[in-house]
Amino acid sequence: MAIDCQTFYTRCLFLATATLLLWASPSGQIFFCPQISLAQTPTVRETNKSKAEQLYQAATEQLNKGQLRTALKTFEQVLATLREMSAPQAEAATLNQIGLVYNNLGESQKALNYYQQALTIFQQHKARKEQGTTLTNIAAVYRNLGQYQKALEFYQQALALRRAVQDALGEAITLNNMAAVYDNLGQYKKSLEFYQQALAIFDKVKDARGKGTTLNNIGLNYSNQGAYTEALSYYKQALEILEAAGDRMGVGRILTNIGFAYSNLAEYQKALASLEQALAIRREIGDRPGEAVTLDRMGTVHRQQKSDRTALQFYQQALTIFREVNNSPGVGYTLSNIGATLLKSDRFEEATKKLMTAVEVWESLRPGLTDENKVSLFEKQAETYSFLQQALIAQNQIEAALEIAERGRARAFAELLASRLGTENSEQLALPKPPNLAQIKRIAAEQKATLIEYSIVDEKLYVWAIAPSGDIAFRQIDTSNLDISLADVARNTLVAAATGRTRGSAPDARAAESANNSAAVSTRRLNRRLHQTYKLLIEPLANILPKNEGDRVIFIPQGVLFLIPFAALQDAAGNYIIEKHTVSIAPSIQVLGLTRQHRQRLRSHPSSQLLVVGNPTMPSIRSIPDEAPTPLSPLPGAEQEAIAIARILQTQAIVGKDATERAIVQKMPQARIIHLATHGLLNELQDMDLGVPGAIALAPDRTPPTGATTAGLPLHQGGAMTSTTADSGGGAGDGLLTSGEILHLKLNAELVVLSACNTGRGTISGDGVLGLSRSFIAAGVSSIVVSLWFVPDAPTADLMTEFYRQLQQNSDKAAALRQAMLVTMRQHPQPSNWAAFTLIGEAD
C-alpha cells in the first residue's frame, strides 16, 4: 500500500508580526517557510508592500482551501510585485510557496526549479534558517518521486542547518520527515526513533499540530508492522488534536489510516465508513494524491471482502491519479494490488502484465540507495515478485517464473558485489541486470553443477533444477498440509542436527563417551525430523539429481530455508545427503556468477600469503544486561587446530595475544586463504546494536581504562567502523571484528574459513542472510565456509584439519569439505559434530 504519512507546511505572511499557518500535504513531509518582514519604505514601496501582503494572504487562504491552481496564480502575482520592489528574501519565500503548490499538483520538476531558485537567494543572503526550510522542501519532492537516498541527503543537510541555528521547530519537522522516508524504506525501528525525537521537541515547544502530525505517523509505523490495535490508539489521539486545529487535510489523512487499520482487523464496515469520510474531505479540498491513497485503500477493503470487481474499479481510479501526480511508489503499490486481484480472479495474463509493470517501477526506485536501504525497501516489495511467479506458473511459463524468482532475491547483494568487482579504473559498475534464462544456464554450465533454486510462494514451494547441460526441471511442493509452518520445519531441522557440546564449553568425559557410544549404536537410525525434511525438500527432486556423488549440487534457498543443514538430511535408508552428493549453497544464481568472476580475477593476481588464526586472547562481552563484561572462554582446541592447519599449509599460526584485531585486519587484504578458529558471536552482542549481526572474536588491541564499566556502560559502544578506519586497517581495537567492519574491508581471498559458532547465521531477508558470510563475500572473498550452530571444539578441529588435507589433494573446496565430513563422521557420527559447516560461493 502507498504510505500515507502526515505532512504539514508552515506559511509566512508578509507582516512584521507574521503568523505561522500550518497546512498539510500528502507527500509525508513537513514544510514551512520563514517569517519575512518588509521594512517601512517610501510611499510607492509601501503601496507595493501592502499589495504583496494582501495577495499573499489571499493565496494562503486559497491554498488552505485546496484551490491549488488559483493559489498558484495569486502567488505568481506576489512574486512579480516583490521583484519590482527588489525584496530578495521575500521573493525567495514566495518561490518556496510556488514550489510547494507545484509539488502538490504533482509537477515535480517545476517544484524543484522554484525551490532551487529560492535556495540560491537564501544562500546569497546567508539566511541559514531559510535554507533549512528550502532543503526540506526539496527533499520532499525526491521522496514523492521515490528517490529516497537523495531525499535523505537533503534532509541531513537541512537537519544540520536547523541544529546550527537552534531552530527547534525546524529540527522537529525535519526529523519527522526523515522518519517518513525510513518508513518508506521499511526501516521501522529507525523510523520510530526519529518520530520519538520529533514528538519530544513538538511537546517541548508546545506545537499541537506538530504533535498530532507525529502521533499519526507513529500510528502508521505500527500499522506497517502489523500492530493495528496499537496504531489505532495513536490515530485517535492525532485525530482529536488535528480536528481541534481545523486541519482538514490532516483529518482526511488520519481517517484514511484509521480505515485501513480497521480493514486489517477485519472490521470492514468501520473501515469503509472511515474511508468514505476521508475521501469526501480529500476531494473537497483538492488533495489529489491523498484521494488516490484513499481510493487504493478502499480497493483493498473490497478485495478483502471478495468484491474483486469493485476493488478493481477503486484501484484503477487510484492508479490514474498516482500517474497524474507522478507518485512512483503509489503507482507501484496500486499496480501490485491490481495484479493480486486479477490473479485471485484467475485472470493470469492480465495479472502478469500489471505485476511486471509494478516490478519495473520497484526496480526504478533502487538506483542510488545505500545497501541497507535497498535491503529494507525490497522487503516491502517482495510480495509483488511472489504474485508474479504464481501468475506465470499458472500459465505454465516455468522458465519465465524462474527468471522472476531469481530477479526477486539477493538483488542488493548482487549490486553491492558488482560494485566491488569494478575495473581497476572504476570502483562502480553499472547496476547489474537480473540474469535472463540464457545467463542462468551459462552459470550452471560454468559451475559444472546442478543448481536447485527454491522459492517460497504462499503455501507452496516452487523448485527449479538447472542441470549443467541447461536442462530445467520444475517441481511444485504443497506445504499447506504440513502440521507446522515452514519456518518451524526449518528451525526444528536445525535443532535436530545441532546436538552436542558447544565449542568452548568445559569437556565432560562421561557425557562425551555416552554421546559417542549412543551415536555408534544409532548411526544409521533415522532421525525423524531430518528424514521428514528430506522428504519435503529433496525427495521430489531425487530422480533429477546427479547420480555421481562427485557431481556438485548447489542449493539456493530462500527465507527460512537458509537454516536447513542440507548435508545432514537423511533419505529413507538413513543415508545423509553428503554421502550421496557434493553440496554447497548460494544466495542467488547471479551472486554465484559474480563470485566466479571475482575468482577468475584473483587467478590473474595470485597471492601466496596465508593467514591462520587460532584461540586469540579473548575479548570481553556483556553476557547479561547491566552486568560488567567478562572475557570469552579460551579455546585450546582451536589453537591446536590452527597450529595443525598452519603446518599443512606450511605457514605460521597466529595465536593468543598476537592475534589482535588490528594485526589481523592489516594482514587480511594480502591473504589468499584466511582461517579464523575462534568464537563466533551472533545474539550475544544485542546490547551493541550492530545493525548487521555477527562478529568474530580476536585479541583486543587495548586494555579498557580503569572504571570503564561504571554506570553500567558497555565497554564496546558500537560495532560498525567507518570505511576510512576499516580500509586503513585501524580497526576498532576491541577484539570484536563485526560484520559491519568486514563489509568495509577490501579483501582478495579465494577462501575464508570461519571455524567458529553460528558464522552462517544472521538476519534472514529477501536479500539472503545478513551477517558475516554476506559481509565477507561483499568485501571480495569468492568462497567462505561457515557454520549454522554452536560447534563442538574437538570434532571441529578434526574436521577442519582434514578439510585442509583434502584441499591439498583436490582444489575443489566443496569436494574437500565433503570428504572431510565423511572422514570426521567415522569418529564423530552425530551430525552435530560434522554437519554445521557449509560452503558458500565458488568451489573451484
Side-chain angles (χ1 to χ4, degrees), residues 616-696:
T617 300
M618 293 298 170
S620 296
I621 68 166
R622 189 187 307 281
S623 56
I624 300 175
D626 302 324
E627 289 196 3
T630 56
L632 293 165
S633 59
L635 297 173
E639 184 168 340
Q640 296 169 11
E641 170 188 323
I643 292 170
I645 290 168
R647 190 178 300 120
I648 294 171
L649 297 177
Q650 298 182 354
T651 190
Q652 186 72 34
I654 303 175
V655 300
K657 62 182 177 57
D658 294 329
T660 65
E661 181 181 356
R662 188 180 303 273
I664 300 308
V665 167
Q666 287 176 337
K667 292 177 181 294
M668 288 172 77
Q670 292 78 41
R672 178 172 61 88
I673 293 177
I674 300 171
H675 183 91
L676 303 175
T678 181
H679 280 291
L681 304 170
L682 182 64
N683 297 321
E684 298 88 343
L685 303 177
Q686 291 182 356
D687 63 312
M688 289 168 52
D689 193 21
L690 293 180
V692 181
I696 291 293

Side-chain angles (χ1 to χ4, degrees), residues 360-393:
E360 290 166 356
V361 171
W362 293 149
E363 294 177 355
S364 74
L365 302 181
R366 293 183 198 159
L369 290 176
T370 64
D371 177 60
E372 178 187 22
N373 289 341
K374 286 178 183 176
V375 171
S376 61
L377 179 62
F378 182 77
E379 293 300 292
K380 300 187 67 173
Q381 303 170 345
E383 190 176 49
T384 308
Y385 293 83
S386 177
F387 289 146
L388 184 51
Q389 288 176 61
Q390 291 181 64
L392 290 167
I393 293 298

Side-chain angles (χ1 to χ4, degrees), residues 137 151 160 188 231 299 390:
N137 294 356
Y188 302 122
Q390 291 181 64

Side-chain angles (χ1 to χ4, degrees), residues 567-632:
L569 301 185
Q570 286 182 291
D571 65 14
N575 298 310
Y576 297 108
I577 284 183
I578 199 64
E579 295 178 291
K580 302 163 66 176
H581 304 290
T582 302
V583 304
S584 61
I585 69 169
S588 74
I589 295 173
Q590 185 170 31
V591 167
L592 192 61
L594 288 167
T595 57
R596 182 174 183 80
Q597 289 179 36
H598 185 53
R599 177 73 183 100
Q600 291 171 336
R601 280 188 58 192
L602 291 178
R603 284 175 175 160
S604 63
H605 300 86
S607 171
S608 59
Q609 295 191 36
L610 306 168
L611 179 60
V612 181
V613 177
N615 192 27
T617 300
M618 293 298 170
S620 296
I621 68 166
R622 189 187 307 281
S623 56
I624 300 175
D626 302 324
E627 289 196 3
T630 56
L632 293 165

Side-chain angles (χ1 to χ4, degrees), residues 59 81 132 168 292 304 336 392 450 694 803 814:
T81 304
Q304 291 169 327
S336 185
L392 290 167
T450 299
F803 170 65

Side-chain angles (χ1 to χ4, degrees), residues 155-414:
Y155 282 136
Q156 290 286 5
Q157 295 177 53
L159 187 63
L161 280 170
R162 289 177 158 176
R163 284 175 170 167
V165 299
Q166 297 183 329
D167 176 9
L169 179 59
E171 179 182 350
I173 287 169
T174 306
L175 287 167
N176 185 88
N177 296 346
M178 293 177 73
V181 178
Y182 285 118
D183 256 338
N184 287 140
L185 290 167
Q187 295 195 39
Y188 302 122
K189 181 180 178 182
K190 185 177 287 188
S191 170
L192 190 57
E193 290 171 358
F194 277 82
Y195 283 138
Q196 295 289 3
Q197 292 177 53
L199 187 62
I201 297 173
F202 283 129
D203 267 333
K204 184 176 180 180
V205 300
K206 302 189 186 314
D207 188 306
R209 293 186 68 182
K211 180 178 180 179
T213 296
T214 309
L215 286 169
N216 170 71
N217 291 353
I218 292 173
L220 185 63
N221 179 284
Y222 279 108
S223 181
N224 287 333
Q225 298 181 75
Y228 303 113
T229 302
E230 292 88 342
L232 278 169
S233 69
Y234 282 98
Y235 291 150
K236 290 175 181 178
Q237 294 177 61
L239 184 62
E240 183 178 349
I241 293 171
L242 295 185
E243 280 183 332
D247 183 351
R248 297 277 286 160
M249 185 168 282
V251 168
R253 180 164 296 101
I254 297 171
L255 286 170
T256 297
N257 292 342
I258 288 173
F260 197 59
Y262 277 129
S263 76
N264 283 293
L265 292 169
E267 297 187 46
Y268 300 122
Q269 294 310 310
K270 285 185 179 180
L272 286 174
S274 185
L275 290 168
E276 285 165 359
Q277 290 180 61
L279 186 62
I281 292 171
R282 292 181 137 174
R283 282 177 169 167
E284 178 189 337
I285 65 175
D287 178 6
R288 293 285 282 163
E291 179 184 349
V293 172
T294 306
L295 288 165
D296 179 272
R297 299 289 198 269
M298 294 177 80
T300 297
V301 176
H302 285 290
R303 189 175 104 202
Q304 291 169 327
Q305 293 182 290
K306 306 186 186 308
S307 300
D308 293 344
R309 179 177 297 180
T310 305
L312 287 171
Q313 291 171 352
F314 279 104
Y315 285 142
Q316 191 56 55
Q317 293 178 62
L319 182 62
T320 299
I321 297 173
F322 277 132
R323 282 176 167 158
E324 285 176 3
V325 299
N326 295 320
N327 187 312
S328 294
V331 170
Y333 283 116
T334 305
L335 282 169
S336 185
N337 287 336
I338 291 172
T341 308
L342 292 169
L343 176 65
K344 183 181 167 187
S345 304
D346 294 341
R347 295 162 65 179
F348 303 122
E349 187 175 350
E350 294 173 82
T352 298
K353 291 177 181 177
K354 297 295 185 183
L355 292 166
M356 184 61 77
T357 307
V359 164
E360 290 166 356
V361 171
W362 293 149
E363 294 177 355
S364 74
L365 302 181
R366 293 183 198 159
L369 290 176
T370 64
D371 177 60
E372 178 187 22
N373 289 341
K374 286 178 183 176
V375 171
S376 61
L377 179 62
F378 182 77
E379 293 300 292
K380 300 187 67 173
Q381 303 170 345
E383 190 176 49
T384 308
Y385 293 83
S386 177
F387 289 146
L388 184 51
Q389 288 176 61
Q390 291 181 64
L392 290 167
I393 293 298
Q395 298 170 80
N396 201 34
Q397 296 183 32
I398 305 302
E399 294 177 342
L402 170 60
E403 289 181 327
I404 295 302
E406 182 64 19
R407 192 167 176 170
R409 71 181 67 211
R411 297 295 304 132
F413 195 177

Side-chain angles (χ1 to χ4, degrees), residues 377-560:
L377 179 62
F378 182 77
E379 293 300 292
K380 300 187 67 173
Q381 303 170 345
E383 190 176 49
T384 308
Y385 293 83
S386 177
F387 289 146
L388 184 51
Q389 288 176 61
Q390 291 181 64
L392 290 167
I393 293 298
Q395 298 170 80
N396 201 34
Q397 296 183 32
I398 305 302
E399 294 177 342
L402 170 60
E403 289 181 327
I404 295 302
E406 182 64 19
R407 192 167 176 170
R409 71 181 67 211
R411 297 295 304 132
F413 195 177
E415 290 169 5
L416 179 62
L417 191 54
S419 73
R420 299 294 181 92
L421 301 183
T423 63
E424 293 181 359
N425 297 325
S426 172
E427 284 295 315
Q428 294 286 331
L429 289 175
L431 292 180
K433 294 181 179 179
N436 57 33
L437 188 64
Q439 291 167 327
I440 289 171
K441 291 181 177 181
R442 190 193 70 231
I443 292 170
E446 291 172 346
Q447 292 288 330
K448 299 176 183 177
T450 299
L451 312 181
I452 307 295
E453 178 148 313
Y454 292 93
S455 188
I456 302 171
V457 178
D458 198 17
E459 293 186 325
K460 292 182 175 63
L461 272 175
Y462 295 159
V463 192
W464 294 267
I466 306 99
S469 63
D471 293 337
I472 296 177
F474 174 75
R475 299 289 186 270
Q476 186 173 164
I477 301 170
D478 187 2
T479 60
S480 63
N481 56 0
L482 294 175
D483 56 354
I484 56 176
S485 69
L486 190 61
D488 285 337
V489 168
R491 284 189 285 265
N492 291 348
T493 304
L494 184 69
V495 170
T499 56
R501 292 185 296 118
T502 298
R503 177 154 218 179
S505 61
D508 184 332
R510 285 186 303 172
E513 182 179 359
S514 173
N516 284 334
N517 288 341
S518 63
V521 173
S522 61
T523 299
R524 288 306 164 204
R525 207 177 278 173
L526 270 181
N527 180 299
R528 182 178 62 86
R529 179 58 64 188
L530 298 179
H531 177 56
Q532 286 179 341
T533 305
Y534 177 93
K535 288 179 66 177
L536 177 69
L537 299 181
I538 307 299
E539 194 167 86
L541 312 168
N543 65 331
I544 54 177
L545 291 176
K547 305 305 179 187
N548 186 341
E549 64 187 30
D551 292 342
R552 285 192 285 121
V553 178
I554 302 176
F555 292 105
I556 301 167
Q558 187 181 43
V560 294

